[in-house]
């Protein structure tokens, strides 16, 4: 056995003391861990750990160490080693082997710490990004809070179970951390509770009535109510739309997809429920492949409505949208371009728009010039504008505006707004590069937008946009914005219109590295042989949707469960019909089945069954529709108490490392919904509420 010197033994003892101290920290009572960790954080530093064995010794600059006791329990006089003077026994025989302090105990401590490190690495961690932080209910200033969509939550649910095999990632608003490149952090299973009828208002106004949510579900976000844009909460959760090359890959992988959705029909459907739109139909029919090309202008290869920004994109890209809830107050001073709109079609006129701005004493950019062009590149409106506040910086290098140009200008922002309201037809499509900034400067809202910074992409990353100057150079072979006197709104608006017309003459994929999956300019510009070109054009024709349950259960042995009453089950059954899934009722469910349908007699029965089967499936969704009487003022407190009890019950019956998601659906025309999320770990699993 190796012999140790006294100093080596002392170092060994200090290492053991450090490990013992760290292990003690890990054994803190879970109930008050949050309080203790803050205090211990200041003591568990390298310096403090070095002092664990020196706490009772004189505090000077010398290096003090504990010594071993002799067999007769007398001190080995380490205390005499002040000023680093060795004791006599060490000088007499340096080769004598000191007594080793239980090396087995040291090895045990080391093994325990290694095991804890391994266990901590396997715990999934959910953190919010900037978009998620901006949506949290903790942002009390509702003018600064930007809610997310329920589809964002759906993307997280998919990703929690499928990892990078998920058709959508929640990367825009949150991050689910992984412990290596291959495997997803160990989310044991996912449990979703939907309470239809409750809103973000209910939680904010009665927060003290939901102690379980406050204590255990740390991520609390506002969610735009799906009903606001014409979609039921069931559809938003159950239907997973797939687009572009994603569709092709998933068709090859799964063989077929149940439900076909054309993009233009879906976009119009959502927009017409937000903007005041005239329609003789109570709903918008999804065009079929046979009639999707009817009435196309001779220069277009596909319907121009396919290029429109979706409602989700408009919110994500910070376009002003007249949604109810918190965004309504933010854009309260904005005006619509029309009092009522017509539905956009393949022949709706397009208008290129660009604005120039200067910095004023308000601290904001204000409008100083606007240009509108039609599809034939004719300028139909061009005007200089006098800002409301004095200009502090003309930004001539970018705006092209000088003091002399605005000397005799009397046109105001209000005048421009009224002109646009008269000039634009009710189905007008506005075209431009990053038009969100232009519309904010105009303080106007419009439903139909084609944004060249989105439909063209050279980076392969949707969030890394390409400048208009570069797009024009690469695709049109022209040069713009190279005048030392600054930009020209007429030049920029014409350039954007030319790009859109070029895309319409080719295909939806044209010029988009994201959809094509390739950044080669030869591919982006369709400079391939005719066979390859036909294949690319064919690839973009359809867009699809399939059910969330088909995705979740694609791996062998992975199962899902839906819990609700007859009414709820009939709604979810739409997304199971004609699928290849093995669907079975509650009592008959067997190991070879994939989706379990639990029809509950009442709400309490639904919660009880969810609690009982929570750990039997990878994904459990319990949907409770609250009755009108439960939401009356005199019943609210009792309802909130019950909801808190039910959410706690399901939480306690879930496994560690499971993702818990509670959704309040929101109330139409009153308040948005909410989503409450967290990963259950043994550290927080003991909190009671």
């Amino acid at each position: 056995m190796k012999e140790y010197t006294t100093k080596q033994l002392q170092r060994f003892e200090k290492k053991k003391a450090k490990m013992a101290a760290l292990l003690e920290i890990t054994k803190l009572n879970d109930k008050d861990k949050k309080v203790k960790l803050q205090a211990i954080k200041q003591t568990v530093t390298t310096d403090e750990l070095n002092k664990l064995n020196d706490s009772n010794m004189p505090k000077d600059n010398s290096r003090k160490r504990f010594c071993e006791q002799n067999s007769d329990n007398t001190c080995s006089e380490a205390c005499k080693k002040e000023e680093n003077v060795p004791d006599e026994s060490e000088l007499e025989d340096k080769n004598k082997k000191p007594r080793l302090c239980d090396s087995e105990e040291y090895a045990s401590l080391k093994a325990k710490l290694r095991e804890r490190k391994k266990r901590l690495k396997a715990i999934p961690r959910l953190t919010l990004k900037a978009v998620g932080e901006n949506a949290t209910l903790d942002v009390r200033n509702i003018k600064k809070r930007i809610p997310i969509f329920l589809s964002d939550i759906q993307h997280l649910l998919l990703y929690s179970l499928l990892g990078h095999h998920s058709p959508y990632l929640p990367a825009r608003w949150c991050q689910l951390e992984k412990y290596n490149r291959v495997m997803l952090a160990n989310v044991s299973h996912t449990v979703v509770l939907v309470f239809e009828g409750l809103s973000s208002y209910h939680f904010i106004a009665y927060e003290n009535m939901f102690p379980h949510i406050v204590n255990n579900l740390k991520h609390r976000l506002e969610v735009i109510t799906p009903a606001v844009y014409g979609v039921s909460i069931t559809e938003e959760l159950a239907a997973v739309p797939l687009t572009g090359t994603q569709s092709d890959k998933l068709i090859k992988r799964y063989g077929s997809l149940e439900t076909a959705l054309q993009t233009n029909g879906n976009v119009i459907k959502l927009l017409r429920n937000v903007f005041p739109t005239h329609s003789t139909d109570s709903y918008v029919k999804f065009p079929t492949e046979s009639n999707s090309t009817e009435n196309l202008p001779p220069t277009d290869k596909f319907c121009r409505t396919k290029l429109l920004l979706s409602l989700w994109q408009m919110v994500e890209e910070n376009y002003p949208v007249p949604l109810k809830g918190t965004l309504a107050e933010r854009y309260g001073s904005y005006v619509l371009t029309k009092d009522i709109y017509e539905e956009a079609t393949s022949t709706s006129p397009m208008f290129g728009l660009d604005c120039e701005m200067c910095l004023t004493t308000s601290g904001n950019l204000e409008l100083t010039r606007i240009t509108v062009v039609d599809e034939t590149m004719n300028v139909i409106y061009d005007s200089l504008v006098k800002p409301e506040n004095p200009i502090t910086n003309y930004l001539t290098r970018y705006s092209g505006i000088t003091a002399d140009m605005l000397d005799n200008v009397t046109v105001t922002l209000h005048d421009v707004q009224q002109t646009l309201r008269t000039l634009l037809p009710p189905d007008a499509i506005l075209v431009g590069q990053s038009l969100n900034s232009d519309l904010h400067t105009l303080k106007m809202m419009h439903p139909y937008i084609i944004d060249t910074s989105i439909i063209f992409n050279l980076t392969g990353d949707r969030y890394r946009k390409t400048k208009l100057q570069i797009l024009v150079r690469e695709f049109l072979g022209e040069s713009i914005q190279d005048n030392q006197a600054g930009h020209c709104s007429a030049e920029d608006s014409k350039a954007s219109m030319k790009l859109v017309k070029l895309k319409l003459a080719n295909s939806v994929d044209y010029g988009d590295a994201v959809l094509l999956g390739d950044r080669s300019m030869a591919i982006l510009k369709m400079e391939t042989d005719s066979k390859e070109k036909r294949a690319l054009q064919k690839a973009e024709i359809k867009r699809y949707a399939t059910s969330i349950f088909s995705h979740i259960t694609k791996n062998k042995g992975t199962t899902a469960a839906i819990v609700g009453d007859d009414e709820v089950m009939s709604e979810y059954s739409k997304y199971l019909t004609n699928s290849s899934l093995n669907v079975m009722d509650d009592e008959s469910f067997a190991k070879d089945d994939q989706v379990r349908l639990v029809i509950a007699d009442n709400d309490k029965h639904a919660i009880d069954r969810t609690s009982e089967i929570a750990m039997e499936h990878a994904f459990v969704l319990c949907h409770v529709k609250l009755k009108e009487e439960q939401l009356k003022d005199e019943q609210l407190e009792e309802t909130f108490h019950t909801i808190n009890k039910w959410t706690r019950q399901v939480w306690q019956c879930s496994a560690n490392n499971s993702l818990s998601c509670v959704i309040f659906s929101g109330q139409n025309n009153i308040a948005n919904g909410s989503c409450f999320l967290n990963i259950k770990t043994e550290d927080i699993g003991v909190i009671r509420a």
Side-chain angles (χ1 to χ4, degrees):
M1 183 177 182
K2 180 180 178 181
E3 296 182 355
Y4 295 88
T5 66
T6 300
K7 288 186 177 181
Q8 287 176 322
L9 184 60
Q10 289 168 349
R11 285 195 293 270
F12 180 85
E13 283 297 302
K14 289 190 73 65
K15 286 183 180 180
K16 191 176 79 172
K18 289 180 182 180
M19 287 192 177
L22 289 172
L23 201 58
E24 281 301 314
I25 293 173
T26 66
K27 294 178 181 178
L28 287 172
N29 189 289
D30 288 330
K31 196 170 185 178
D32 60 353
K33 185 174 182 180
K34 290 184 178 179
V35 178
K36 290 187 177 181
L37 279 178
Q38 189 60 33
I40 292 172
K41 185 177 180 181
Q42 304 302 322
T43 61
V44 186
T45 64
T46 303
D47 290 340
E48 292 297 327
L49 287 171
N50 286 338
K51 294 177 183 178
L52 284 175
N53 284 333
D54 301 319
S55 58
N56 296 321
M57 297 181 69
K59 297 182 179 180
D60 56 21
N61 293 327
S62 61
R63 302 285 292 175
K64 307 296 189 298
R65 302 180 185 275
F66 280 123
C67 65
E68 296 300 314
Q69 288 185 332
N70 298 321
S71 57
D72 60 355
N73 290 327
T74 61
C75 179
S76 61
E77 301 187 13
C79 58
K80 294 180 181 181
K81 295 172 63 181
E82 295 180 346
E83 305 301 331
N84 294 322
V85 178
D87 61 65
E88 296 178 0
S89 61
E90 184 180 352
L91 291 172
E92 286 177 1
D93 188 1
K94 291 184 179 179
N95 294 323
K96 182 176 180 181
K97 175 180 138 182
R99 182 163 68 92
L100 184 63
C101 286
D102 202 354
S103 60
E104 291 184 0
E105 182 182 356
Y106 174 81
S108 175
L109 287 171
K110 192 173 182 179
K112 288 180 180 178
L113 288 173
R114 188 183 297 113
E115 177 61 29
R116 177 173 176 77
K117 182 178 181 180
K118 182 178 179 182
R119 183 167 57 86
L120 288 175
K121 281 186 176 181
I123 295 176
R125 290 174 178 82
L126 179 64
T127 56
L128 299 181
K129 294 186 177 180
V131 172
E133 292 287 355
N134 290 337
T136 60
L137 296 176
D138 296 333
V139 180
R140 295 301 181 184
N141 187 342
I142 60 176
K143 291 185 178 181
K144 293 184 178 180
R145 194 164 65 230
I146 304 177
I148 60 175
F149 282 86
L150 195 59
S151 57
D152 289 318
I153 305 302
Q154 181 201 67
H155 299 166
L156 173 63
L157 299 179
L158 285 164
Y159 186 67
S160 70
L161 299 171
L162 301 176
H164 288 296
H165 294 294
S166 171
Y168 287 103
L169 306 180
R172 93 176 186 98
W173 69 278
C174 74
Q175 178 177 357
L176 187 58
E177 294 182 12
K178 306 162 187 57
Y179 57 87
N180 61 41
R181 295 181 180 179
V182 180
M183 298 181 65
L184 186 69
N186 187 24
V187 175
S188 54
H189 59 111
T190 298
V191 181
V192 181
L193 293 179
V194 178
F195 294 104
E196 193 166 346
L198 295 184
S199 69
S200 58
Y201 165 78
H202 289 127
F203 177 79
I204 294 172
Y206 300 91
E207 187 172 322
N208 63 327
M209 298 295 294
F210 301 98
H212 165 71
I213 291 177
V214 172
N215 291 331
N216 289 324
L217 303 181
K218 67 181 282 191
H219 303 300
R220 302 182 282 274
L221 306 100
E222 182 176 356
V223 179
I224 293 175
T225 305
V228 169
Y229 48 93
V231 175
S232 71
I233 188 171
T234 302
E235 178 181 346
E236 194 81 340
L237 282 173
V240 183
L242 307 169
T243 62
T245 54
Q246 288 179 326
S247 296
D248 294 334
K249 292 178 181 178
L250 290 169
I251 290 170
K252 292 176 182 177
R253 183 182 303 169
Y254 302 118
S256 64
L257 301 173
E258 297 90 325
T259 310
L261 290 179
Q262 294 293 331
T263 303
N264 52 334
N266 193 36
V267 167
I268 303 299
K269 178 183 178 184
L270 300 186
L271 292 174
R272 72 181 294 270
N273 282 276
V274 175
F275 289 86
T277 306
H278 172 74
S279 176
T280 55
D281 298 325
S282 59
Y283 64 94
V284 178
K285 298 177 181 179
F286 295 151
T288 62
E289 185 177 354
S290 61
N291 64 20
S292 61
T293 58
E294 290 182 3
N295 300 320
L296 283 181
T299 56
D300 294 357
K301 295 289 182 63
F302 60 93
C303 185
R304 56 189 57 183
T305 59
K306 285 190 175 184
L307 299 180
L308 294 179
L309 291 183
S310 67
L311 180 64
W312 181 85
Q313 286 175 308
M314 292 180 75
V315 173
E316 183 183 28
E317 298 292 336
N318 192 31
Y319 276 83
V321 179
L323 286 168
K324 297 177 176 62
T326 57
L327 292 181
E329 292 196 22
R330 173 179 299 185
Y331 305 135
S333 63
Y334 286 46
V335 299
L336 294 168
T337 52
K338 303 296 288 186
D339 289 330
I340 192 163
Y341 298 91
E342 297 288 345
E343 293 176 8
T345 67
S346 61
T347 58
S348 293
M350 299 188 298
F351 297 89
L353 184 148
D354 189 71
C355 297
E356 304 297 347
M357 308 89 157
C358 293
L359 192 63
T360 70
T361 54
S362 67
N364 300 318
L365 293 171
E366 292 192 41
L367 181 68
T368 51
R369 183 184 177 187
I370 178 174
T371 304
V372 179
V373 301
D374 62 18
E375 290 186 47
T376 61
M377 308 303 161
N378 290 321
V379 175
I380 61 174
Y381 181 52
D382 189 6
S383 176
L384 293 171
V385 185
K386 182 179 177 61
E388 180 180 350
N389 299 289
I391 295 176
T392 58
N393 190 335
Y394 284 87
L395 303 173
T396 305
R397 178 183 173 188
Y398 303 102
S399 67
I401 302 297
T402 63
D404 291 341
M405 293 172 64
L406 298 179
D407 264 351
N408 300 316
V409 174
T410 58
V411 177
T412 65
L413 175 62
H414 176 74
D415 296 331
V416 173
Q417 290 174 338
Q418 295 308 309
T419 298
L420 290 177
R421 282 173 56 82
T422 303
L423 181 67
L424 297 175
D427 62 339
I429 298 174
L430 292 183
V431 170
Q433 176 88 356
S434 299
L435 276 177
N436 54 319
S437 59
D438 299 88
L439 289 173
H440 280 297
T441 302
L442 289 166
K443 292 189 176 180
M444 301 190 79
M445 295 180 282
H446 188 79
Y448 309 128
I449 305 291
I450 297 179
D451 190 332
T452 50
S453 73
I454 295 176
I455 65 172
F456 283 89
N457 184 285
L458 304 184
T459 66
D461 182 346
R462 189 60 78 200
Y463 298 100
R464 292 171 56 203
K465 298 180 180 179
T466 306
K467 294 180 180 179
L468 179 63
Q469 182 184 43
I470 297 175
L471 293 177
V472 169
R473 183 189 68 202
E474 295 296 333
F475 292 99
L476 301 177
E478 299 177 5
S479 178
I480 64 169
Q481 300 179 351
D482 55 0
N483 192 328
Q484 295 297 324
H487 295 184
C488 172
S489 55
E491 181 182 58
D492 290 353
S493 57
K494 289 179 182 180
S496 296
M497 181 63 75
K498 289 178 182 178
L499 285 170
V500 172
K501 290 178 70 67
L502 177 64
K503 193 175 184 93
L504 287 170
N506 287 276
S507 73
V508 171
D509 289 338
Y510 182 89
D512 194 333
V514 176
L515 292 180
L516 290 173
D518 197 311
R519 293 184 295 174
S520 165
M521 288 305 301
I523 297 295
L524 293 176
K525 296 168 71 173
M526 302 294 185
E527 293 175 349
T528 58
D529 62 43
S530 57
K531 182 178 179 181
E532 290 175 323
K533 186 172 182 177
R534 285 196 301 271
L536 287 170
Q537 290 175 334
K538 184 178 179 181
E540 57 83 22
I541 292 176
K542 291 185 178 181
R543 302 211 173 181
Y544 298 92
T546 186
S547 80
I548 190 174
F549 310 105
S550 297
H551 286 285
I552 290 171
T553 60
K554 71 184 184 66
N555 293 328
K556 186 176 181 180
T558 302
T559 59
I562 310 171
V563 185
D565 59 20
D566 285 318
E567 182 181 357
V568 167
M569 206 58 65
S570 65
E571 293 180 5
Y572 282 98
S573 65
K574 299 174 185 176
Y575 304 95
L576 301 172
T577 306
N578 299 325
S579 72
S580 58
L581 294 172
N582 294 326
V583 181
M584 189 54 63
D585 62 78
D586 190 14
E587 294 181 358
S588 306
F589 188 81
K591 64 179 182 179
D592 294 330
D593 297 319
Q594 294 171 293
V595 180
R596 183 179 202 156
L597 300 183
V598 181
I599 301 178
D601 299 330
N602 50 56
D603 295 344
K604 184 179 183 305
H605 182 212
I607 296 298
D608 288 341
R609 283 300 291 147
T610 300
S611 303
E612 292 166 358
I613 66 174
M615 289 193 283
E616 296 181 21
H617 304 280
F619 181 74
V620 177
L621 190 157
C622 176
H623 192 134
V624 173
K625 280 192 172 185
L626 297 176
K627 311 295 187 296
E628 287 187 14
E629 55 268 22
Q630 293 176 284
L631 300 175
K632 292 181 179 178
D633 290 343
E634 60 272 17
Q635 293 292 322
L636 274 182
E637 289 196 6
E638 181 180 346
T639 299
F640 296 157
H641 175 75
T642 302
I643 296 299
N644 182 73
K645 181 177 69 174
W646 285 348
T647 54
R648 183 183 65 222
Q649 176 182 331
V650 175
W651 169 272
Q652 291 174 336
C653 292
S654 300
N656 287 334
N657 296 349
S658 62
L659 174 61
S660 180
C661 174
V662 177
I663 296 172
F664 289 2
S665 71
Q667 294 176 298
N668 296 347
N669 304 318
I670 299 177
N672 278 327
S674 298
C675 181
F676 310 97
L677 296 157
N678 207 4
I679 302 289
K680 179 181 178 182
T681 68
E682 56 186 337
D683 292 333
I684 61 175
V686 297
I687 296 177
R688 296 291 181 261

